[in-house]
Amino acid sequence: MDFIGTILAFCKCVGPPICQYVRRHRKLSEIMRNLERALQELNSKKADIEATLKAECDLGNKQPSNEVNDWLENVERINNEAHSIEEEVKKGKYFSRARLGKHAEEKIQEVKEYHQKACSFTSLVIAPPPTGGLTLTTATLAGKKTKKVVERIWEDLMGDKVTKIGVWGMGGIGKTTIMKEINNRLQKETNKFNVVIWVTVSQPLDLIKLQTEIATALKQSLPENEDKVRRAGRLSEMLKAKAKFVLILDDMWEAFPLEEVGIPEPSEENGCKLVITTRSLGVSRSMDCKEIGVELLSQEEALNLFLDKVRISTSQIPNLDKEIINSVVEECDGLPLAIVTVASCMRGVDEIHEWRNALNELRGLVRSRNGVNADVLGRLEFSYHRLKDDKVQQCFLYCALYPEDFAIPKEELIDYWIAEGFIEEVKDVQAKYDRGHTILNRLVNCCLLERAEDGGCVKMHDLIRDMALRIKSKSPLFMVKAGLRLLKFPGEQEWEENLERVSLMDNHIEEIPSNMSPHCKILSTLLLQRNGYLQRIPECFFMHMRGLKVLNLSHTNIEVLPSSVSNLTNLRSLLLRWCRRLKRVPSVAKLLALQYLDLERTWIEEVPEGMEMLENLSHLYLSSPPLKKFPTGILPRLRNLYKLKLSFGNEALRETVEEAARLSDGLDSFEGHFSELKDFNIYVKSTDGRGSKHYCLLLSAYRMGAFMITGLELPKSVILNNYKICRGEEPIVLPEDVQFLRMFEVSDVASLNDVLPREQGLVNIGKFSHDLKVLSFVHCHNLKNLFSLWLLPALQNLEVLKVYGCDSIKEIIAVEDEETEKELATNTIINTVTLPRLKKLRFYFLREFKRFCSNNGVLVCNSLQEIKVRGCPKLKRLSLSLPLLDNGQPSPPPALEVIEIEKELWESLEWDQPNAKDVLNPYCKFEAF
């Protein structure tokens, strides 16, 4: 019996592991599919976080939090390790299947943990702005009635009785302008509300999207894989934590129950307020809001607004005929958007004949339409016709391909215009961009586009967009179904022969029917980007699209690009960025017209065959972790390259480093990621120490970089990211004309001296000193000081100095000379450090930071504009040498604007000059961090 018991115990111990072994061996393919799905979800989350991070950092000089940086780096590591497992599986070794299955399952668990961790982030950045919301750009309010509406809304917001307000009126009447004014006034009313949240709703109503945008406005996030009910619970808790909030929902088209989204019902007890703007009185009533209508302008108000926008004084009116101007204003029917748009396109016209002609055109457009909305669109269409330039009109209409309320990136838009051939009167690429920006400014000045809050984008008012789409409802046609959350691809009957441009971006399309081959011979643009579920495109799909010039499949899940793409001989722009499953691109040998090829963050193993034939290529972006082959000799053939982005993170591209460097003189911009110091140095040396007009060089231990180069402040930048640059290899060689130098998690650097060692000689330092303007050290935990006195000549043009999260740093400037050190210690001399162009000093979360310079060293920087100090508990002296007045009393630096610091720390600081603290007190902004 003991023997049998022993056998049973043995079976209990070894049975489960054997079963696991067999299961993993047999089901390896299924396990790998599960890993691929989990990775897809994680990388989608990563893309969202990086996009949000870029927006937040660009808006307010903020930095990613340590937690977020660690997460991004680990996700990159997980991707690389998962790729290694995939490569091992492909080798097909029979006896490795169970081991690989075990590794894959462990990786799946890790992927799920990191996906869940991302959902728990409360904030992506450190040092968020202390304001209760975002200040928005807005136009001047027009008319007494409009100003009365503002005061009515303000009175209800400041009072306790009214908790929900519905601002309603026809499109273009000024509802959004009114609420932007209210929003900006609320930013100053910090005692009444804790936070002001602005969200544009638009159509079609998508409650999941609305939940996400409210959470994003709160600088938080919601799990994407949860259902609407659970997300509503989380959002409700977020909003309740803010206590008294104002939620502004702009441009609502449908009513919805607040509890379905997770918005706590505003009440007198909780002090919260909801304001909606809508074109429908019914929506306002359904939401149980107090109704505040916005009326059309009176004739007098309309005339004053028109004259202000057309920039004509009353003294000029007799020369033009007051009656004609009044008639033009009458045709605008008191609608502010129509008045501003028409006036803007008549600015500078002083011929009476042109005014008469304009009036006739305007009357014809308005009276040929039926219905109120059609009349409004007719008035707006007048401004389109007044452009009187077919190419500029085409540029304007192209903007309607983007979803409603979309912030359209200027550079991306101009790239499309160039690819479409709208800008062909100039040949030089830079001249084309200049022409593109000139057209954009003209459209903005004509009020057909508006500047977005992000200065790099423009937006289209929804009524203007409706007008553009109505113009393109006639041949040749646009098909625009962008941002509608479509699941199904448009049917064959919708693909008419006279389609010119199609936009299906930002949807949830899962598949294109296998036999679909639309006969669209004049189709020039097809935008399918950001359809994350799309995995396959039929081989026959592009067969009858020979006129295609722009094809955007970025951020889709396609694995293979159909070989029929190889025959699109008119194609100028092929965009495949972030197609993370794309493994192969067919031959591009026939695509001789191609100008833009974007293969950034794809998964291709070889560059497309025939790439050396693309002599018209002006933009090439290429980075792919599994890339195994990049033949030398291709880059020199691409003689017209203007922008180049390459990752030298694998062996395939390393041999092309010198080829890329030799192109630098002719490039406008180059972005390069290097994973080896020797490759970085080869590139810099091969450019003779000076890069292209704009460049960013990233040296990172990670094959793809933890986060690639976003929101840089200057055009010539070097980023050292998590790389040990002092580990016994050759010393790093920096470009002589670098303007921006950031070290991020460089653990073996104790000082900038290690990057620019003294033995290089002052001659090299002198060359280097000419351009350096920004120095940034982030999470360099062994950093003891920033630089020594001998390096000071290299920093005479320094404008910004940032030090974040460096645990060991005690002082900024180190004194290495023993004799000088002794003199300083006995106070026989005062060490003066002059940085004549320094504008910004930022010291964040430096636990050991005590002083700027040893003992009595002082900093002279009369151009200083801001000082920001946070989380520096041991700081004793700021060591600023203030300018002196004629009477010998100190005065603040002439350009000083603000000092942000904790009040307790400010009170404890010691000063070198008497009265220095009193002089600087008025500039202090005390915050608790």
Side-chain angles (χ1 to χ4, degrees):
M1 292 295 292
D2 290 342
F3 176 69
I4 294 173
T6 302
I7 292 175
L8 290 174
F10 176 78
C11 290
K12 286 181 181 179
C13 291
V14 301
I18 291 174
C19 291
Q20 286 279 60
Y21 181 92
V22 173
R23 181 184 63 80
R24 288 167 177 157
H25 188 280
R26 293 177 56 195
K27 297 193 174 184
L28 178 60
S29 297
E30 181 181 335
I31 294 170
M32 292 305 296
R33 284 194 296 271
N34 292 339
L35 174 58
E36 187 175 308
R37 281 192 290 269
L39 277 174
Q40 182 181 332
E41 290 183 6
L42 182 64
N43 285 316
S44 295
K45 190 68 176 175
K46 178 175 181 282
D48 290 343
I49 284 177
E50 287 179 323
T52 304
L53 195 62
K54 180 183 186 303
E56 292 190 5
C57 289
D58 286 352
L59 275 174
N61 289 316
K62 293 167 280 188
Q63 291 290 323
S65 67
N66 291 347
E67 184 181 31
V68 170
N69 279 324
D70 289 343
W71 187 89
L72 286 168
E73 291 164 9
N74 278 297
V75 170
E76 201 63 50
R77 172 185 57 77
I78 289 169
N79 272 298
N80 291 333
E81 290 172 354
H83 176 65
S84 298
I85 295 173
E86 289 176 8
E87 292 298 306
E88 286 291 310
V89 171
K90 286 178 184 177
K91 293 177 182 176
K93 293 182 179 178
Y94 185 80
F95 293 105
S96 299
R97 291 175 62 84
R99 174 179 60 81
L100 292 172
K102 179 175 183 292
H103 290 170
E105 285 186 332
E106 291 171 349
K107 195 57 57 184
I108 289 170
Q109 183 59 37
E110 188 177 16
V111 167
K112 289 179 178 178
E113 289 173 1
Y114 272 89
H115 190 281
Q116 190 59 40
K117 185 176 182 180
C119 299
S120 68
F121 289 150
T122 56
S123 177
L124 300 181
V125 295
I126 58 173
T131 58
L134 200 63
T135 300
L136 304 173
T137 56
T138 185
T140 305
L141 294 171
K144 294 179 182 178
K145 292 179 182 178
T146 304
K147 292 174 181 175
K148 283 182 180 179
V149 168
V150 170
E151 295 310 317
R152 286 175 62 192
I153 297 169
W154 186 257
E155 184 179 336
D156 288 335
L157 285 172
M158 294 300 106
D160 298 325
K161 299 298 182 184
V162 178
T163 57
K164 294 191 289 186
I165 302 167
V167 183
W168 70 278
M170 65 187 297
I173 205 166
K175 303 181 296 297
T176 300
T177 300
I178 287 169
M179 287 315 303
K180 283 183 175 180
E181 177 73 16
I182 292 289
N183 173 85
N184 292 349
R185 286 175 66 174
L186 283 169
Q187 304 309 316
K188 303 169 186 176
E189 197 68 29
T190 53
N191 295 329
K192 180 71 175 177
F193 301 104
N194 296 329
V195 66
V196 181
I197 307 160
W198 178 288
V199 174
T200 303
V201 183
S202 298
Q203 58 178 336
L205 179 63
D206 184 337
L207 297 187
I208 293 286
K209 181 183 177 186
L210 180 58
Q211 289 175 328
T212 299
E213 293 193 353
I214 294 173
T216 300
L218 292 169
K219 304 293 187 286
Q220 299 190 52
S221 60
L222 292 168
E224 292 182 359
N225 55 351
E226 280 191 347
D227 59 38
K228 185 172 62 179
V229 175
R230 294 189 180 187
R231 285 164 57 96
R234 290 180 186 269
L235 182 59
S236 179
E237 291 304 313
M238 291 178 193
L239 288 167
K240 286 176 181 176
K242 293 293 182 183
K244 298 167 71 173
F245 63 80
V246 178
L247 176 58
I248 301 171
L249 299 179
D250 186 41
D251 199 16
M252 276 185 55
W253 289 72
E254 297 177 49
F256 61 85
L258 295 179
E259 64 272 12
E260 279 194 29
V261 175
I263 302 170
E265 185 70 30
S267 65
E268 288 188 52
E269 289 72 27
N270 62 27
C272 299
K273 305 277 187 174
L274 171 70
V275 187
I276 69 169
T277 73
T278 178
R279 298 184 192 181
S280 168
L281 178 58
V283 169
S284 179
R285 288 176 176 171
S286 297
M287 297 294 290
D288 194 26
C289 294
K290 177 182 177 179
E291 301 152 17
I292 297 182
V294 183
E295 300 179 31
L296 295 167
L297 300 180
S298 68
Q299 177 63 14
E300 181 184 357
E301 291 171 335
L303 178 61
N304 290 335
L305 177 60
F306 185 89
L307 293 175
D308 178 63
K309 295 302 177 183
V310 83
R311 296 177 186 166
I312 296 177
S313 66
T314 52
S315 62
Q316 292 175 283
I317 291 179
N319 298 329
L320 292 174
D321 191 327
K322 187 174 182 178
E323 184 179 340
I324 289 179
I325 290 182
N326 277 326
S327 297
V328 170
V329 175
E330 284 175 8
E331 291 299 332
C332 296
D333 204 26
L335 187 69
L337 179 62
I339 293 166
V340 169
T341 306
V342 171
S344 297
C345 71
M346 293 303 295
R347 192 178 297 144
V349 177
D350 54 12
E351 277 285 332
I352 190 68
H353 305 290
E354 282 199 61
W355 278 88
R356 286 189 187 127
N357 181 62
L359 178 58
N360 290 331
E361 287 179 6
L362 189 55
R363 283 173 172 167
L365 286 166
V366 173
R367 291 170 188 172
S368 65
R369 313 297 182 194
N370 296 316
V372 175
N373 191 57
D375 279 349
V376 172
L377 297 182
R379 295 180 182 102
L380 299 177
E381 194 174 321
F382 168 80
S383 300
Y384 163 78
H385 289 293
R386 292 290 300 178
L387 291 172
K388 294 182 178 179
D389 182 322
D390 178 64
K391 293 293 177 66
V392 176
Q393 288 175 334
Q394 293 277 15
C395 290
F396 162 71
L397 294 173
Y398 206 94
C399 301
L401 296 175
Y402 286 88
E404 188 173 294
D405 293 312
F406 195 88
I408 307 170
K410 292 180 181 179
E411 293 286 317
E412 177 181 292
L413 185 58
I414 294 172
D415 285 343
Y416 285 144
W417 291 349
I418 295 172
E420 276 279 6
F422 299 158
I423 306 175
E424 290 190 323
E425 61 270 36
V426 290
K427 298 299 181 184
D428 178 74
V429 180
Q430 183 59 58
K432 289 184 178 183
Y433 277 104
D434 293 341
R435 173 66 177 151
H437 282 285
T438 301
I439 292 172
L440 271 175
N441 289 337
R442 181 176 175 187
L443 295 175
V444 169
N445 292 337
C446 290
C447 295
L448 290 171
L449 293 178
E450 56 191 65
R451 291 183 175 88
E453 299 304 321
D454 178 356
C457 298
V458 291
K459 296 184 77 172
M460 204 176 210
H461 191 283
D462 52 1
L463 266 183
I464 300 283
R465 182 173 181 268
D466 290 345
M467 177 264 288
L469 291 177
R470 188 175 69 169
I471 291 172
K472 294 312 297 179
S473 64
K474 296 172 289 189
S475 184
L477 300 175
F478 278 17
M479 185 206 296
V480 181
K481 296 188 175 184
L484 301 181
R485 302 296 188 265
L486 296 180
L487 297 174
K488 190 175 180 182
F489 198 72
E492 189 114 32
Q493 71 280 1
E494 297 184 66
W495 292 81
E496 301 182 44
E497 285 191 19
N498 60 348
L499 270 177
E500 185 181 29
R501 296 184 185 97
V502 172
S503 176
L504 301 171
M505 69 171 82
D506 280 340
N507 282 304
H508 295 159
I509 294 169
E510 296 181 1
E511 63 177 348
I512 299 174
S514 60
N515 60 348
M516 181 175 278
S517 181
H519 286 252
C520 300
K521 294 181 180 179
I522 68 167
L523 185 67
S524 62
T525 288
L526 176 58
L527 304 179
L528 276 165
Q529 66 264 37
R530 294 190 293 277
N531 276 284
Y533 299 101
L534 182 62
Q535 296 185 17
R536 182 178 171 275
I537 300 175
E539 181 61 40
C540 61
F541 184 72
F542 297 108
M543 285 182 63
H544 305 292
M545 297 183 183
R546 297 296 177 87
L548 204 60
K549 294 179 180 177
V550 176
L551 176 59
N552 194 336
L553 292 164
S554 301
H555 293 273
T556 60
N557 238 350
I558 59 171
E559 294 183 3
V560 178
L561 201 60
S563 58
S564 55
V565 168
S566 298
N567 295 317
L568 299 178
T569 54
N570 289 299
L571 196 64
R572 296 184 179 183
S573 184
L574 179 58
L575 308 173
L576 301 165
R577 172 179 300 220
W578 278 97
C579 292
R580 290 293 296 245
R581 299 181 67 184
L582 181 65
K583 298 176 182 177
R584 186 181 71 84
V585 174
S587 173
V588 295
K590 296 180 184 177
L591 308 186
L592 302 182
L594 201 64
Q595 298 172 358
Y596 302 80
L597 181 57
D598 190 343
L599 297 168
E600 187 174 0
R601 296 294 179 121
T602 57
W603 218 249
I604 61 172
E605 297 181 354
E606 296 183 2
V607 297
E609 179 187 339
M611 205 166 87
E612 69 277 3
M613 305 297 293
L614 306 181
E615 294 191 3
N616 287 312
L617 202 66
S618 59
H619 295 63
L620 174 61
Y621 305 131
L622 175 59
S623 61
S624 171
L627 190 67
K628 296 175 181 176
K629 185 179 179 182
F630 192 131
T632 56
I634 290 180
L635 288 178
R637 295 281 299 272
L638 308 180
R639 299 183 182 92
N640 291 303
L641 277 179
Y642 181 74
K643 292 188 178 183
L644 178 62
K645 182 184 291 188
L646 293 174
S647 172
F648 302 98
N650 47 38
E651 294 293 338
L653 271 168
R654 278 201 201 139
E655 295 180 11
T656 66
V657 170
E658 290 189 52
E659 291 184 348
R662 286 195 290 269
L663 292 173
S664 62
D665 284 346
L667 290 175
D668 174 77
S669 68
F670 172 76
E671 288 189 26
H673 165 232
F674 304 84
S675 58
E676 296 291 339
L677 177 60
K678 62 181 180 181
D679 296 330
F680 180 94
N681 283 350
I682 288 172
Y683 179 85
V684 175
K685 291 175 181 177
S686 299
T687 62
D688 294 325
R690 304 184 74 83
S692 52
K693 185 177 178 182
H694 304 85
Y695 64 77
C696 184
L697 310 181
L698 170 66
L699 176 59
S700 171
Y702 300 105
R703 290 177 64 193
M704 292 292 290
F707 45 89
M708 192 71 174
I709 313 169
T710 56
L712 294 179
E713 300 168 46
L714 292 166
K716 299 183 178 183
S717 306
V718 171
I719 298 176
L720 310 178
N721 175 29
N722 205 300
Y723 196 94
K724 293 183 178 180
I725 61 176
C726 304
R727 56 185 178 186
E729 298 183 19
E730 58 183 300
I732 190 170
V733 180
L734 295 175
E736 293 172 1
D737 59 348
V738 63
Q739 297 177 341
F740 176 105
L741 177 60
R742 175 188 291 166
M743 285 193 277
F744 185 93
E745 292 189 351
V746 182
S747 59
D748 64 340
V749 167
S751 172
L752 185 61
N753 304 359
D754 298 335
V755 181
L756 291 171
R758 194 167 190 170
E759 52 267 24
Q760 285 189 8
L762 288 176
V763 175
N764 287 343
I765 295 301
K767 289 181 181 178
F768 179 79
S769 71
H770 181 69
D771 294 297
L772 188 64
K773 294 182 179 179
V774 177
L775 260 179
S776 174
F777 300 83
V778 182
H779 305 311
C780 298
H781 298 299
N782 289 314
L783 196 69
K784 300 296 189 294
N785 58 70
L786 295 195
F787 50 85
S788 297
L789 282 174
W790 63 264
L791 197 53
L792 201 59
L795 306 173
Q796 290 303 290
N797 290 305
L798 192 66
E799 295 180 1
V800 180
L801 182 59
K802 304 178 184 180
V803 191
Y804 296 173
C806 299
D807 297 336
S808 302
I809 191 167
K810 295 182 178 180
E811 59 189 12
I812 301 301
I813 300 179
V815 180
E816 295 180 336
D817 184 273
E818 289 186 15
E819 186 175 338
T820 305
E821 184 72 53
K822 289 177 182 178
E823 289 178 341
L824 285 171
T826 58
N827 290 322
T828 58
I829 66 169
I830 294 178
N831 188 46
T832 301
V833 178
T834 302
L835 294 172
R837 290 184 171 85
L838 191 66
K839 296 177 181 177
K840 297 179 181 180
L841 274 175
R842 296 179 185 171
F843 303 138
Y844 290 177
F845 308 109
L846 311 177
R847 295 185 302 189
E848 300 298 322
F849 182 42
K850 295 180 179 179
R851 57 185 179 259
F852 190 88
C853 189
S854 301
N855 296 331
N856 61 340
V858 295
L859 173 65
V860 177
C861 47
N862 292 339
S863 57
L864 202 61
Q865 294 174 356
E866 67 176 44
I867 304 171
K868 295 185 178 182
V869 181
R870 301 178 184 178
C872 301
K874 295 186 178 181
L875 182 63
K876 300 298 181 186
R877 299 167 68 238
L878 271 183
S879 308
L880 284 180
S881 178
L882 301 180
L884 297 178
L885 299 173
D886 292 340
N887 60 6
Q889 291 297 310
S891 65
L896 188 64
E897 296 173 359
V898 67
I899 301 173
E900 289 187 11
I901 193 170
E902 296 112 311
K903 188 170 185 178
E904 184 179 348
L905 177 60
W906 176 257
E907 297 295 341
S908 68
L909 289 178
E910 301 169 3
W911 296 93
D912 299 290
Q913 294 168 281
N915 304 325
K917 182 178 177 182
D918 295 334
V919 167
L920 295 176
N921 250 330
Y923 298 90
C924 286
K925 186 175 182 181
F926 298 122
E927 299 290 345
F929 302 109

